[in-house]
Amino acid sequence: TTLGGAAALAFAAARRPTPAAFAGIAWLGLTAEFALHRILPGPKTPEELAKMAVTSVLIPPAALGHRLAGEVRVRRPRPAARAILFDRDDTLIHDEPYNNDPELVRPVPGAEDVLRRLRAAGVPVGVVSNQSGVARGLITPAELAAVNARVEELLGPFGTWQVCVHADGDGCCCRKPKPGLVTRAALALGVRPEDCVLIGDIGADIEAARAAGARGVLVPTPRTRAAEIEAARRDALVAGDLAEAVGLAMGDRAW
């Protein structure tokens, strides 16, 4: 619709009436169809009809401009993360619900390699994890510490561990999707939240990153809901595995 209108104006300015007329008819027909779809549900008052007619002319170029601006924005090179934060379960290690046994800790494929490379490159890394099993009485603080120690034994040291042990109804400010874990991790690592990238497997990770002003990368698993993946495709980044996620965070898909 917008291109038809622009072509009509351009041909008219070039004193080419025939193509200007064809382009103008195309623009008018598409605009009328758009307006009709918006008018039919009603109400059909004179004021509403006038409003629909005017806005049906304005919306297509506004929408096209918004789309083009978004295309330019998402294709700009993203600055490399100054620190990377990881969710724990189903991101760094396979999820064992309410795990209180260090012997059940199993890293996901590629975790050891990407962490080794990040440390070699001098990029601070941290873990931000919800562990409501403590509040529910399913995990003791000592068992949680033992499991986290096993993660470090297998994957190396992290610059910070930020863990929320509260349940959903506790009203804390740290449980993802709230930003507390991310902002505290950034402070502990000596960077701003906006300089961090949080890599996780569910929508709460992406929402926590956004709430803190950080960027998020979703690495879906079979447990990740389709709606969470779709939302991440619109507002964040989606990666096929941990290595690709780190590559996106560092501005290099081939990381």
Side-chain angles (χ1 to χ4, degrees):
T1 304
T2 302
L3 290 175
L9 293 174
F11 284 129
R15 299 175 186 266
R16 299 180 61 187
T18 300
F22 278 112
I25 291 170
W27 171 82
L28 183 61
L30 291 168
T31 302
E33 180 187 26
F34 180 43
L36 185 62
H37 279 291
R38 301 177 67 220
I39 289 169
L40 286 177
K44 300 179 180 66
T45 63
E47 295 81 6
E48 185 70 9
L49 291 174
K51 177 182 176 182
M52 290 296 104
V54 172
T55 55
S56 294
V57 171
L58 298 177
I59 286 173
L64 180 61
H66 183 72
R67 173 60 182 265
L68 292 175
E71 293 286 349
V72 171
R73 185 168 61 253
V74 300
R75 281 164 174 73
R76 286 183 189 143
R78 291 180 174 86
R82 293 186 58 195
I84 297 186
L85 310 176
F86 296 90
D87 174 52
R88 193 192 78 175
D89 299 321
D90 262 352
T91 299
L92 290 176
I93 62 173
H94 291 284
D95 185 29
E96 295 287 344
Y98 305 115
N99 183 20
N100 60 3
D101 184 357
E103 295 303 314
L104 297 179
V105 173
R106 295 178 297 122
V108 303
E112 184 178 5
D113 180 60
V114 297
L115 288 166
R116 175 183 54 78
R117 295 178 66 185
L118 285 170
R119 294 183 184 108
V123 179
V125 293
V127 178
V128 291
S129 179
N130 289 348
Q131 296 296 326
S132 63
V134 176
R136 299 167 189 264
L138 302 173
I139 312 171
T140 68
E143 290 169 338
L144 175 62
V147 169
N148 290 343
R150 178 60 174 167
V151 174
E152 288 212 331
E153 181 182 344
L154 295 174
L155 296 178
F158 292 89
T160 183
W161 281 82
Q162 299 295 332
V163 179
C164 173
V165 297
H166 305 105
D168 286 332
D170 288 345
C172 68
C173 63
C174 51
R175 181 172 173 80
K176 294 178 291 184
K178 294 181 180 178
L181 295 181
V182 178
T183 55
R184 286 183 350 210
L187 180 64
L189 295 175
V191 298
R192 302 177 303 170
E194 54 264 40
D195 294 325
C196 296
V197 171
L198 170 57
I199 299 173
D201 66 300
I202 61 173
D205 298 310
I206 305 304
E207 293 173 28
R210 184 186 304 113
R215 288 179 285 156
V217 181
L218 184 73
V219 183
T221 73
R223 304 185 195 197
T224 310
R225 293 183 298 168
E228 295 174 324
I229 299 173
E230 191 59 35
R233 292 193 191 282
R234 291 194 305 269
D235 303 327
L237 296 169
V238 178
D241 56 28
L242 196 58
E244 183 185 356
V246 172
L248 290 171
M250 298 303 296
D252 179 7
R253 291 175 180 267
W255 175 269

